[in-house]
Amino acid sequence: MGQFFGTDGIRGPVGVFPLTPEGISRIAQSAARWMMARPVPAGHPRHLVVIGSDPRAASDWIVPILSGTFSAHGIDVFPLGRFATTPEVACETKASGATLGLAVTASHNPYTDHGMKFFAADGFKLCGPDQDAIEAGLGVPSEAIAAPAGTGHINTVRHTPVYDRQVRASLPARLDLRGMGLVFDAANGAAQARLANRLGKSGPWQDLLDPPIIIGAGADGVNINDGFGATHPEALAAKVVETGAFAGVALDGDADRLIMVDETGETVDGDQLLALLATAMQAEGRLRGGGIVATVMSNLGLERHLGGLSLSMVRAKVGDRNVVEAMRAGGFNLGGEQSGHLVLLDAATTGDGLLAALHVLSIAKADGRKFSEISRVFEPVPQKLVNVRYGGEDPLADAGVQSNIARITGDLGDNGRVLVRKSGTEPLIRIMVEAFDEAELEDAISAIEGAVRGAA
């Protein structure tokens, strides 16, 4: 990771460089220079950039700066609008022949943060060296990459979107989810308008499922992820129980991840959904690579479940870009994170909460049991995660903290795991402890948390 590029693109507080007007302009200028160093894609008169955003307030000034700056450098702009999900940006970038795609979003963060995710022409997230090249350009004075003379308007182009067709084509041909009773939570985010349009009575998927109940659909620019969505599934759980629904689906602000809820209101995390998908895909002969890719955060219970099916589990670093890179390197077509990024590589190039939910629901429909019975695929090893916010020096650089972590790791031995890391998107130290004995787990995480807070 660089100074500005973190685990998943650029993200940070609005009003702090580079999330300022000058910073956004410099990002666009540097990205434009990176694009112009490449051949113009076949069939296009100029380079093309796809831009879509979530509905947080700062999108209203960030997107025009991006669009205007790209256009001033002779680059065409394909605008997906203010309610465009990250998976849509990835899909349309590849389908339109664009050189670059930008999802203007801060994902699950509050509205006070913003950022952007970068996609290459193949629809996959930009690799490390390309991110480094764009970041290096942020320090180049504006006049060194000034716009060519004579460009005075935004060169907007349109293409026929293919995302809906791509998702539908990935599902079983005769899938019928009608009669299940479903609730969707749009997190007051990017998926809000799309859910209503796609899943409504006149939507393109009207023959697939009954119009669901949709909550978290009152975006006002400042309430994204606030009490709704994958990071706050309580509202969804209450609505599912209240309405007697079969299941609920909570997306995050840019809809690239999901958490589900069963009919009792219990949450179903990404690890259980990965286990469900892997088990079904293996039984149908559709699982490639002899296993899946998860992350260092995934529960040991998932690994043991897969082992019982003679499947492997490769652990990647946190971040769905890291998961996808490991999937492509190892020939896997299923991977994801406990937090709900699920990647079905046969159908998409990045995590897609809606697509993953429809695939899970197709498995549930064929099974016929209650979702609470279907979704408890393995018994998780007790696991606890604590976040410690810091404002000064990196607490993990403290020798006492490292000594504490090493001692506790040694004490747990084969009976547990310890993972302590810095967040790639926020000034947080994430502490995860996993242990068969819950008393040991509590003692271990309390000791590490205390040490980290003392050094923060």
Side-chain angles (χ1 to χ4, degrees), residues 194-207 209-212 214:
R194 303 299 203 266
L195 283 179
N197 292 339
R198 291 185 181 117
L199 306 180
K201 290 182 179 179
S202 59
W205 298 337
Q206 60 178 312
D207 62 325
L209 71 170
D210 298 327
I214 301 176

Side-chain angles (χ1 to χ4, degrees), residues 214-374:
I214 301 176
I215 65 172
D220 61 9
V222 301
N223 62 354
I224 188 169
N225 302 308
D226 186 8
F228 289 90
T231 53
H232 299 284
E234 302 83 13
L236 176 66
K239 182 61 71 172
V240 166
V241 172
E242 174 194 332
T243 59
F246 175 81
V249 177
L251 306 172
D252 68 339
D254 67 330
D256 66 348
R257 61 189 264 197
L258 82 158
I259 293 294
M260 295 189 71
V261 169
D262 69 23
E263 77 282 355
T264 72
E266 290 295 311
T267 58
V268 182
D269 67 14
D271 281 349
Q272 292 286 1
L273 297 176
L274 277 173
L276 180 64
L277 287 163
T279 303
M281 290 171 67
Q282 185 203 31
E284 296 167 3
R286 297 189 293 114
L287 191 68
R288 291 191 282 108
I292 71 168
V293 176
T295 75
V296 291
M297 297 296 294
S298 284
N299 195 276
L300 185 59
L302 171 61
E303 191 169 8
R304 292 189 169 194
H305 168 76
L306 295 171
L309 298 175
S310 299
L311 296 174
S312 64
M313 187 177 93
V314 174
R315 289 186 183 269
K317 293 180 181 179
V318 170
D320 71 328
R321 182 168 69 90
N322 297 319
V323 170
V324 171
E325 288 178 357
M327 291 172 68
R328 298 177 76 186
F332 299 93
N333 62 344
L334 176 63
E337 298 189 272
Q338 186 184 72
S339 61
H341 286 117
L342 301 183
V343 183
L344 294 152
L345 208 53
D346 293 336
T349 56
T350 192
D352 187 334
L354 180 57
L355 181 145
L358 292 174
H359 278 264
V360 168
L361 291 169
S362 73
I363 294 169
K365 181 71 171 182
D367 186 290
R369 292 178 295 162
K370 294 179 179 179
F371 196 53
S372 58
E373 299 170 353
I374 300 166

Side-chain angles (χ1 to χ4, degrees), residues 183-197:
V183 182
F184 283 79
D185 180 350
N188 294 313
Q192 173 181 317
R194 303 299 203 266
L195 283 179
N197 292 339

Side-chain angles (χ1 to χ4, degrees), residues 12-96:
V14 174
V16 177
F17 191 86
L19 276 307
T20 62
E22 170 66 17
I24 298 300
S25 178
R26 288 201 175 203
I27 290 170
Q29 290 179 63
S30 185
R33 188 170 63 168
W34 174 85
M35 294 171 71
M36 290 185 293
R38 283 152 176 74
V40 175
H44 289 272
R46 292 171 294 277
H47 284 290
L48 175 67
V49 59
V50 175
I51 302 177
S53 76
D54 71 29
R56 65 190 73 214
S59 294
D60 289 346
W61 61 264
I62 289 176
V63 171
I65 292 174
L66 290 171
S67 299
T69 305
F70 281 121
S71 186
H73 286 78
I75 294 169
D76 291 341
V77 178
F78 176 16
L80 293 182
R82 194 166 178 260
F83 286 89
T85 69
T86 288
E88 285 180 280
V89 172
C91 174
E92 304 301 348
T93 298
K94 180 179 180 181
S96 65

